[in-house]
Amino acid sequence: MATTTMVHVRVDEKIKAEATETLAAMGLSVSDAVRVFLMRVVADKQMPFALKVPNTETRTAMTEADEITRTRRARFGTATELFDDLEKNSVK
């Protein structure tokens, strides 16, 4: 059997709890998931998922969404009310 070593990772408490619950539903522990992740990195010589930097259009939309969240705080009872408000306040 190969010698093992410890990996220590700092993670937000809520993320860890949610990940633990989700992984348990799959029959995995957090340690199992980390081992699978690292084995894929070694086998594929790359991350096992795409890492992308948002393009200019996406960054602009993200900034706009943050601004709307910070300033508007609007709530709507129906989708129609939401779309009517968006239409009324859209930049023409």
Side-chain angles (χ1 to χ4, degrees), residues 40-87:
R40 291 303 309 237
V41 169
V42 170
D44 299 339
K45 303 290 188 237
Q46 64 183 14
M47 295 292 281
F49 45 81
L51 294 177
K52 298 179 181 180
V53 174
N55 63 28
T56 302
E57 182 179 357
T58 301
R59 282 194 306 272
T60 301
M62 291 165 68
T63 301
E64 181 182 354
D66 289 342
E67 182 65 21
I68 289 169
T69 301
R70 235 183 15 263
T71 60
R72 297 214 36 228
R73 303 282 185 217
R75 297 287 185 253
F76 304 95
T78 67
T80 301
E81 290 174 12
L82 166 65
F83 289 121
D84 289 346
D85 185 72
L86 288 171
E87 190 68 31

Side-chain angles (χ1 to χ4, degrees), residues 3 8-9 12-13 15 19 48 57 64 77 80 82:
T3 303
H8 299 275
V9 180
D12 179 271
E13 188 175 340
I15 295 295
E57 182 179 357
E64 181 182 354
T80 301
L82 166 65

Side-chain angles (χ1 to χ4, degrees), residues 15-51:
I15 295 295
K16 181 185 176 195
E18 290 180 19
T20 299
E21 183 179 333
T22 301
L23 291 165
M26 294 180 225
L28 297 170
S29 68
V30 173
S31 292
D32 294 332
V34 171
R35 276 191 292 279
V36 168
F37 169 78
L38 293 175
M39 288 190 300
R40 291 303 309 237
V41 169
V42 170
D44 299 339
K45 303 290 188 237
Q46 64 183 14
M47 295 292 281
F49 45 81
L51 294 177

